[in-house]
Amino acid sequence: MIAVEEAIDLVLKNSFPLEKTEILPINQCLNRNLAKAVKAPIDLPSFRLSSMDGYALCLHHSNSYSIVDEVKAGDAVNPSLKLGECVRIFTGGVVPDSADAVIVQEKTIRKQNLLTIKTLVKKGQNIRLIGSQVQKGDFPLEKGQVLQASGLAFLKSLGIGEVEVVRSPKVTIIITGNELIPSSELLTRGKIYESNSILLQAALQQQEIETQLVSFAEDTLKATINALEKAFFNSDVVLVSGGISVGDYDFVKQALEELEVKEIFYKVRQRPGKPLFFGKKDQGFVFALPGNPASTLSCFYVYVLPLLTRLKGGKSNGLIRVSIPIAHDFSSDEPRALFLKATIQNKTVSILDGQHSSMLVSFAKANALVYIPEQGVFLKKGSLVETLLLPNTILT
Ligand code: AMP
Ligand code: MG
């Protein structure tokens, strides 16, 4: 059994960007990582443009100008100005080659075609220069950059329609457990509604990763081996739910051994999620996640997410960690490290009731996980605790 930090380290040490890349239209690249640095095909902006609504001036030594023309955004005109002449111009309009500066309309007085300016004007003022954001031939985004809404829009603003990104990992989910039934069936004695398939699929979806396949395996060695074999055949990552503990009907460990999966670690000194397994088969990875739903999700966030992020070509280590004051006293004499469902509110974190690994109710309300290192603690209200922000949690 190893410590949480060691286990996370082993995940990170074993994960590299997938070698395969694909060229995709920009609108399919959200959350993808660039496989190569992107070269700017144009200057940005590609012409001198006005950043304000006002007047483009051909400067001279008086504060009076005659207005001779107009340039709206999108116009291709290039009026030729003499000293003391100006054009009405709007934000985004091309500044005529003969103009030296743009003055905002609020700082002028206009009487018909005569303009009086009320302040000093500096050469180049309110003009965005060609290439001032990015120059043609530059590499503004590096290999590995994750593409968010802003990144996609930036590429579009360069006129780029498609881009080479690291292929998204192919993930297969295997659900084990004879007691599990779908919510469409009537609950009968001994059965429970299956929930880990949607749990994992949704958590993957949040990372823009589509699940290749969800398969269900009975609690037998043969069924477990079959499901694993199929999964390894066409996935980069296999996530197994349940069956990895030491019960007589837990066959996942044995099946992994029979398939000669290389064990990277098995069992972590943590709660929830002690019997977590991480291994490798050829180029593929497998996580066997303990089946109690809160364990499954906790292990997903702490261990699976960093692996997926790295496979996608990203550099982050998974959930963002912050140090934040706890809103109440807290003590624990648990020797294992704890990941506790919690909520952050008003810049403090509160640990929720209902921490058992079978309980999703607290997880459903949580926006963070408090991490308590091994060996127990006694924390006074206001002490700082290491806290992992669940996806979409923003500290305000
Ligand atoms: P296991 O890890 O297979 O020993 O399962 C531990 C506990 O989690 C058992 O009470 C299972 O019934 C429950 N469990 C396992 N898999 C699922 C699942 N897919 N959905 C809901 N509960 C599950
Ligand atoms: Mg089971």
Side-chain angles (χ1 to χ4, degrees), residues 176-177 179 219 242-243 250:
T176 70
E179 72 281 26
D219 289 325
D250 290 331

Side-chain angles (χ1 to χ4, degrees), residues 272-346:
K274 182 176 94 172
L276 171 68
F277 175 97
F278 177 49
K280 202 163 180 205
K281 176 149 175 80
D282 307 319
Q283 295 311 304
F285 293 95
V286 56
F287 273 106
L289 307 165
N292 265 317
S295 306
T296 314
L297 190 57
S298 189
C299 289
F300 178 89
Y301 283 138
V302 178
Y303 303 96
V304 183
L305 194 58
L307 172 77
L308 295 172
T309 308
R310 297 296 176 103
L311 293 181
K312 283 170 75 183
K315 292 170 189 150
S316 98
N317 293 349
L319 296 181
I320 294 169
R321 291 172 183 245
V322 293
S323 228
I324 186 167
I326 190 164
H328 50 82
D329 292 350
F330 176 80
S331 64
S332 150
D333 52 10
E334 166 66 50
R336 283 181 274 167
L338 303 172
F339 289 97
L340 302 165
K341 276 69 75 185
T343 50
I344 296 176
Q345 252 173 346
N346 304 327

Side-chain angles (χ1 to χ4, degrees), residues 90-237:
F90 300 96
T91 306
V94 187
V95 177
D97 293 341
S98 48
D100 305 300
V102 170
I103 183 159
V104 292
Q105 62 194 46
E106 292 86 344
K107 292 184 179 162
T108 63
I109 300 163
R110 178 178 184 163
K111 284 207 176 107
Q112 276 111 38
N113 284 335
L114 197 69
L115 186 78
T116 307
I117 60 176
K118 298 190 286 185
T119 59
L120 216 68
V121 181
K122 271 202 259 156
K123 218 173 168 175
Q125 162 182 314
N126 299 322
I127 298 177
R128 274 196 254 139
L129 295 180
I130 293 172
S132 55
Q133 184 177 178
V134 170
Q135 287 183 0
K136 182 175 172 177
D138 276 358
F139 291 90
L141 297 184
E142 289 174 7
K143 175 179 173 175
Q145 173 68 52
V146 64
L147 297 173
Q148 313 284 11
S150 49
L152 303 184
F154 174 68
L155 294 173
K156 283 275 186 182
S157 74
L158 286 168
I160 294 174
E162 52 183 32
V163 79
E164 191 170 346
V165 288
V166 179
R167 188 168 61 67
S168 194
K170 294 180 181 168
V171 181
T172 293
I173 297 170
I174 300 174
I175 302 292
T176 70
N178 288 352
E179 72 281 26
L180 307 170
I181 58 166
S183 59
S184 54
E185 282 180 22
L186 213 62
L187 207 54
T188 52
R189 187 176 168 82
K191 303 289 184 200
I192 64 165
Y193 287 129
E194 194 280 314
S195 59
N196 283 348
S197 55
I198 182 123
L199 184 84
L200 292 171
Q201 279 181 90
L204 288 165
Q205 211 178 352
Q206 211 159 28
Q207 307 303 318
E208 309 286 333
I209 295 175
E210 243 178 84
T211 308
Q212 287 277 109
L213 176 76
V214 182
S215 68
F216 294 86
E218 274 177 34
D219 289 325
T220 64
L221 183 61
K222 192 159 171 257
T224 312
I225 289 177
N226 277 347
L228 277 167
E229 254 180 335
K230 246 188 240 152
F232 280 128
F233 183 69
N234 63 356
S235 344
D236 302 299
V237 180

